[in-house]
Amino acid sequence: MRLEKIEIRRITLPFLSPFETSGWREEANHSLIVRLFAEGAEGWGEAPVGAGPWYNEETYATAWVMLRDILAPMALGADLSGPEDVDALFARVRGNRITRSGIEFAAWDLFGKLRGQSLSAMLGGTRATVDVGVSVGVQQDIATLLQVVGGYVASGYRRVKLKIKPGWDIEPTRAVRERWPDLKLQVDANSIYTLDAAEHLAELDAFGLLLIEQPLGHDDIFDHAKLQKRLRTPICLDESIVSPEHARWALEMGACGVINIKPSRVGGLTAAKQIHDMAQAAGVPVWCGGMLETGIGRAANVALASLSNFTLPGDISASDRYFRRDVVSNPFSLNADSTLSVPTAPGVGAEVDLDYLDSITAELQIIEL
Ligand code: OSB
Ligand code: MG
């Protein structure tokens, strides 16, 4: 099948409140939205890049150039027999995986619609609802943190992740643990520590955490393997796992006990499923991370999380945790058991609100043969 037309746009959708990690602050979703056209159907995908190169190397500005000048023209000329072909098509592109994922997701949606199959079914999903939690950014003080976490607990979230950094790690985690002794709790350092902090990080072992996410360098699997030997709590890798090969290296080295799979970070759903299968074979649980996506990217994450080895709750919160108004007319809402329901419509299942999407679009380009 040949794509007939590709529409790309970059959007800005402000968050209800800014999201702060150990190293940067996100005020809004700055993503690229891809729309593919073929055989009377269309497919949607979201490349959830950050505003700047703080999570990985990609940015709102560089992603736009990559998508417009390199990736969309490559996709337009290709003959695709299924969504899996997109990963192979882009294999010679170095890095820029989140940007690539925008087209890859859209291809899954397109083929799903043409075949009348939901994304979850295409991927081999095994559940109708997925366990989710909420990722809580760095707050100004512990009283504020307890208030923010309390709000999410009251809304029904049964798993909370705290962003940590030097000076904001042991005490905030202790305070949340003391207030909610049974809450599923985990922390994420977004690559801010070095191996010198091993003894300090081991203090987190006292709090019964599900995992400690990405304490060390974004591209460092080697030292995570050393650190894991000094912690009882499982290390979970996020930034360092950018491909199935990286996952294999981490598993073979014992660098982590858990993997956070973000399909966008690894270039899309084909690589994400490979990592899922590899971790499952190794007896390592996975969960689905998030990049503060709109309802378009979120729907793909929910479908992925319906696979059987996603046994830990995902960072896939309901739409109202992020936005006043989402870009879809069927936003996700939290079920009473801290789950989201997996879409069953053909493709990814996002019903895009085109008028609203247009109103938050900063730039739009059509690429045609
Ligand atoms: O490290 O998991 C992360 C958001 C943006 C970039 C990186 C991360 C995050 C989150 C939020 O933790 C997850 C979400 O709610 O989408
Ligand atoms: Mg993370």
Side-chain angles (χ1 to χ4, degrees):
M1 180 242 268
R2 287 191 189 274
L3 300 172
E4 290 146 22
K5 184 168 83 168
I6 305 181
E7 177 194 278
I8 59 173
R9 59 175 83 212
R10 48 194 194 92
I11 65 166
T12 301
L13 184 60
F15 297 132
L16 288 170
S17 54
F19 186 77
E20 194 173 319
T21 75
S22 62
W24 76 98
R25 196 177 157 93
E26 300 279 359
E27 309 274 346
N29 168 303
H30 286 98
S31 61
L32 273 45
I33 303 291
V34 176
R35 188 183 184 190
L36 303 178
F37 297 81
E39 300 177 6
E42 60 181 47
W44 290 90
E46 173 176 0
V49 289
W54 321 126
Y55 171 75
N56 76 351
E57 81 286 358
E58 298 169 271
T59 78
Y60 189 50
T62 61
W64 178 252
V65 174
M66 279 299 301
L67 187 61
R68 185 193 62 197
D69 296 351
I70 311 275
L71 300 173
M74 277 174 84
L76 200 62
D79 189 10
L80 303 175
S81 57
E84 298 85 357
D85 288 354
V86 176
D87 194 63
L89 173 71
F90 290 152
R92 67 197 186 95
V93 176
R94 300 293 178 243
N96 294 280
R97 290 182 174 88
I98 300 180
T99 313
R100 285 162 47 177
S101 78
I103 293 179
E104 211 259 5
F105 291 139
W108 284 92
D109 186 32
L110 178 68
F111 276 98
K113 283 170 177 159
L114 290 170
R115 296 172 184 170
Q117 229 189 347
S118 74
L119 179 56
S120 171
M122 293 170 92
L123 293 169
T126 58
R127 43 174 95 86
T129 62
V130 301
D131 281 334
V132 300
V134 61
S135 175
V136 177
V138 172
Q139 304 294 317
Q140 66 188 35
D141 52 41
I142 287 179
T144 310
L145 175 69
L146 293 175
Q147 205 177 347
V148 170
V149 172
Y152 291 129
V153 170
S155 326
Y157 291 102
R158 293 188 200 154
R159 190 283 263 158
V160 166
K161 168 169 127 182
L162 304 178
K163 290 293 192 183
I164 59 166
K165 64 176 183 178
W168 181 264
D169 45 23
I170 311 300
E171 293 316 317
T173 306
R174 186 197 313 281
V176 171
R177 175 48 84 217
E178 282 176 359
R179 178 73 65 89
W180 292 281
D182 301 324
L183 185 65
K184 288 181 185 162
L185 190 62
Q186 61 195 57
V187 296
D188 185 0
N190 287 106
S191 310
I192 198 74
Y193 297 97
T194 62
L195 202 50
D196 299 338
E199 234 169 275
H200 177 69
L201 291 169
E203 291 181 44
L204 293 166
D205 280 338
F207 305 127
L209 304 179
L210 292 173
L211 54 92
I212 299 174
E213 186 176 342
Q214 196 71 38
L216 308 182
H218 72 96
D219 55 357
D220 186 347
I221 292 173
F222 189 78
D223 275 353
H224 278 109
K226 292 189 182 177
L227 180 62
Q228 182 64 90
K229 294 189 178 64
R230 300 175 61 179
L231 301 178
R232 271 189 289 120
T233 310
I235 289 178
C236 169
L237 293 179
D238 172 357
E239 282 89 331
S240 303
I241 307 297
V242 297
S243 73
E245 286 294 271
H246 288 73
R248 183 173 63 77
W249 300 332
L251 293 170
E252 286 189 15
M253 289 178 73
C256 60
V258 179
I259 296 177
N260 166 341
I261 302 183
K262 293 178 182 173
S264 60
R265 187 192 66 227
V266 300
L269 293 156
T270 299
K273 186 174 158 54
Q274 283 169 13
I275 295 170
H276 164 273
D277 294 350
M278 198 185 298
Q280 188 157 38
V284 167
V286 304
W287 55 283
C288 185
M291 291 292 289
L292 311 165
E293 289 92 343
T294 73
I296 298 173
R298 189 165 309 283
N301 288 347
V302 171
L304 179 69
S306 72
L307 273 64
S308 60
N309 195 39
F310 282 85
T311 53
L312 291 166
D315 274 350
I316 328 173
S317 313
S319 175
D320 66 4
R321 176 260 179 273
Y322 308 93
F323 310 111
R324 188 179 52 78
R325 180 175 169 186
D326 206 332
V327 302
V328 295
S329 56
N330 59 340
F332 285 96
S333 57
L334 190 68
N335 300 323
D337 58 351
S338 193
T339 65
L340 298 186
S341 298
V342 180
T344 54
V348 75
E351 292 167 16
V352 177
D353 180 343
L354 251 186
D355 289 338
Y356 186 55
L357 186 64
D358 283 342
S359 75
I360 58 162
T361 296
E363 194 169 359
L364 183 148
Q365 185 127 353
I366 306 272
I367 293 127
E368 276 177 297
L369 282 175

